[in-house]
Amino acid sequence: MKTIAIIPTIKEELLRPNEYFLSFMEQLPQQNQIQTELLFILAKQADRYSQGKSSSIPLDKAEEIMESILFVLGVQLKSYPTTTQALAQLQEEPLESLYKSGLQLIQKKITSLKRFQKQLIRNLLDTPNIYYRSTIIDGINGFFQLYQPQFTAQKIHITADYPILIGRPQLDGIEFIEQYLQAIAAENAFCIRFSSKAIHHLLCGLTPEYTQIPLNLLEPVLLSAIGLTLVHQSCATLNLTNDQLIQLQQFFLPQSKEEILQSLNEALLVVKRAMNIPQSAIGYAQSCLPKLAKSIHTAVSMNTLNQLFLIPSIPETKVEIMFSYEDRMDNQSYQQLLENILQADTIEEKLSLIFHQISSIPDLFDLILEAEFTSSELESIVSVLPDPVRIALLSQYPNGGYFLQENEQLLYQALQKERSHHES
């Protein structure tokens, strides 16, 4: 039995997650015995490190091993349901016994996380962002290869380049990797409920070079899905329009941060039901909402909501679009194309049909007026047209938007909005 004086409670608010054992020990009135036992463990670990070849090791290495010992003991103390039980074990068990139990617990975590990572990789979001896949596969594999809990249990070894939405874990060693992987898994579980192509187009709305940038993928997806829900549109498409962005600005403008947070939470539950998102991913998303509510509140006041709620862009169509006043389609081909577009479910399908089959400006103009496109669909089409084609279409309206039929008015408004966007 140890002689550590019994104290009523450990103040949990004083415990530091990344220095758990040290901050635990600081609250004990008598520390001499623990310090003696720590030096005993250090001597044994130093001997193992030198493989018995030397009675001493460099000071910096000794300090590193002591940090590792403290980390392992912290992992073990955290495993008890309460700090009262942790204190009881610290009083009753030899410190070396707790240390060995901590090493065994870390080894179990390593085994469990390796299995968890493999499951995650099997269902990984298909994205061209190089930091997402490389971090989850190469980065985490690198950690497992380099990790030595016997001597450097507190080390992370990797840069963990992919930024998770909840923020970088303020932990070390295996605890960092555990929390980091769990966060990525929750983000991945949310994102894979949406089309990878829709996510790609959404992120291209930020910049087509997003593939080479270490940025969080969940935030724009989550905000787009919530934004569409708040304007009573299907969240599956991730295709907010400029008009809907104006609606969101007006919706959030009178709200406080607390009211915005409530609106986000309510919309998220609708997204959950619509997309069948697992509760683990929803719970994680909910923990991120206070951060997003604060960002939205600031963006609304600065009129920069478009930096949070992205408007999708389809860059792959821009390099392929070439039109002329010649090469008109024959009537049968044109009618078949028109029918296929009317039957298509998404704007992506409609854009693909248009830009792979039409090469004539007159055909394009006729199709736009006859295919019953919605206002948001016309904005998407116009946004990917080359400037000369937009100018050619605008030239069809020398008197502006007067005396136009409804479909022509929608086209004219989309063209004018795109021109204003380019001029601003």
Side-chain angles (χ1 to χ4, degrees):
M1 179 74 70
K2 291 189 179 182
T3 58
I4 299 174
I6 297 177
I7 58 176
T9 57
I10 292 289
K11 295 180 179 179
E12 295 187 27
E13 66 272 16
L14 298 180
L15 295 174
R16 300 184 293 276
N18 60 335
E19 293 181 320
Y20 194 83
F21 184 79
L22 193 60
S23 57
F24 199 104
M25 191 175 73
E26 288 169 354
Q27 299 188 50
L28 302 178
Q30 296 179 4
Q31 303 175 12
N32 291 344
Q33 183 178 340
I34 291 180
Q35 291 171 349
T36 300
E37 291 187 75
L38 282 172
L39 291 174
F40 177 75
I41 298 171
L42 174 61
K44 280 194 169 184
Q45 290 303 102
D47 185 63
R48 289 191 180 99
Y49 178 77
S50 67
Q51 298 179 338
K53 296 176 182 177
S54 174
S55 59
S56 64
I57 59 173
L59 178 60
D60 59 343
K61 191 61 194 180
E63 290 174 344
E64 188 175 66
I65 292 176
M66 178 58 83
E67 289 176 9
S68 178
I69 294 168
L70 295 173
F71 175 82
V72 173
L73 288 167
V75 169
Q76 181 60 25
L77 290 189
K78 288 178 184 178
S79 70
Y80 299 113
T82 66
T83 54
T84 301
Q85 289 174 271
L87 178 59
Q89 290 298 315
L90 191 58
Q91 290 174 318
E92 296 169 6
E93 290 285 333
L95 204 60
E96 186 179 16
S97 175
L98 291 177
Y99 175 71
K100 289 179 180 178
S101 296
L103 283 176
Q104 291 172 358
L105 180 56
I106 287 176
Q107 194 56 55
K108 289 179 181 177
K109 286 180 179 289
I110 293 172
T111 302
S112 175
L113 287 174
K114 283 183 177 179
R115 185 164 55 247
F116 185 75
Q117 181 210 19
K118 287 180 180 178
Q119 293 172 346
L120 174 59
I121 291 171
R122 281 197 290 268
N123 296 287
L124 207 56
L125 174 69
D126 182 15
T127 174
N129 182 271
I130 61 173
Y131 289 95
Y132 191 70
R133 193 174 191 87
S134 66
T135 298
I136 297 168
I137 299 176
D138 302 331
I140 300 300
N141 285 343
F143 167 82
F144 289 134
Q145 291 169 6
L146 297 171
Y147 193 51
Q148 293 182 296
Q150 286 276 357
F151 307 114
T152 53
Q154 77 281 15
K155 293 286 186 180
I156 298 173
H157 296 295
I158 63 171
T159 55
D161 293 321
Y162 176 74
I164 54 177
L165 182 54
I166 197 67
R168 190 178 179 89
Q170 299 303 302
L171 294 166
D172 296 318
I174 194 68
E175 291 184 320
F176 174 92
I177 296 299
E178 182 177 43
Q179 196 171 108
Y180 185 62
L181 264 182
Q182 288 172 349
I184 291 178
E187 295 192 7
N188 190 76
F190 192 101
C191 288
I192 60 174
R193 304 306 302 172
F194 296 85
S195 158
S196 59
K197 182 179 287 187
I199 293 175
H200 173 60
H201 291 160
L202 178 67
L203 292 169
C204 283
L206 177 65
T207 170
E209 286 73 42
Y210 86 90
T211 59
Q212 309 297 314
I213 300 172
L215 82 166
N216 180 263
L217 305 186
L218 172 64
E219 180 175 347
V221 174
L222 175 59
L223 286 175
S224 181
I226 286 176
L228 285 161
T229 299
L230 290 174
V231 296
H232 309 293
Q233 299 296 316
S234 169
C235 63
T237 58
L238 301 179
N239 63 345
L240 276 168
T241 66
N242 287 308
D243 283 344
Q244 291 163 350
L245 202 57
I246 294 171
Q247 292 179 50
L248 289 174
Q249 172 75 19
Q250 294 169 344
F251 175 77
F252 288 127
L253 187 59
Q255 296 187 17
S256 65
K257 279 182 284 190
E258 293 73 20
E259 290 170 329
I260 291 174
L261 177 58
Q262 182 177 348
S263 296
L264 298 182
N265 270 301
E266 291 172 355
L268 180 60
L269 295 179
V270 177
V271 173
K272 175 190 176 182
R273 292 190 294 270
M275 302 304 296
N276 194 27
I277 297 173
Q279 182 56 43
S280 60
I282 292 297
Y284 175 84
Q286 286 173 327
S287 67
C288 298
L289 291 185
K291 173 183 177 181
L292 296 180
K294 182 178 179 180
S295 297
I296 291 170
H297 188 262
T298 301
V300 168
S301 66
M302 299 178 65
N303 200 26
T304 57
L305 208 57
N306 62 324
Q307 296 180 15
L308 292 176
F309 293 85
L310 302 181
I311 306 300
S313 175
I314 310 176
E316 57 263 32
T317 59
K318 293 184 178 180
V319 297
E320 299 174 358
I321 304 171
M322 293 184 64
F323 293 103
S324 70
Y325 282 93
E326 302 176 356
D327 302 322
R328 296 206 63 167
M329 301 175 70
D330 62 76
N331 187 61
Q332 183 177 353
S333 299
Y334 176 84
Q335 292 300 325
Q336 183 61 54
L337 172 61
L338 179 59
E339 183 178 344
N340 291 340
I341 288 176
L342 291 171
Q343 293 177 354
D345 294 324
T346 66
I347 184 58
E348 288 82 9
E349 293 174 329
K350 294 177 182 182
L351 285 170
S352 178
L353 287 168
I354 292 171
F355 297 126
H356 283 90
Q357 296 189 41
I358 288 187
S359 57
S360 162
I361 291 177
D363 282 339
L364 175 66
F365 183 68
D366 290 344
L367 186 73
I368 287 176
L369 297 182
E370 294 180 21
E372 301 177 3
F373 292 113
T374 65
S375 175
S376 62
E377 287 176 335
L378 284 172
E379 288 179 17
S380 296
I381 294 170
V382 168
S383 70
V384 296
L385 291 175
D387 289 339
V389 177
R390 280 196 294 269
I391 293 170
L393 292 178
L394 268 174
S395 70
Q396 304 295 315
Y397 306 109
N399 298 318
Y402 298 104
F403 312 113
L404 299 179
Q405 296 179 3
E406 182 180 359
N407 53 356
E408 290 182 298
Q409 288 177 346
L410 291 176
L411 173 58
Y412 179 76
Q413 290 166 4
L415 289 166
Q416 288 287 70
K417 182 175 293 186
E418 187 64 23
R419 183 168 70 175
S420 298
H421 173 71
H422 279 260
E423 291 174 350
S424 62

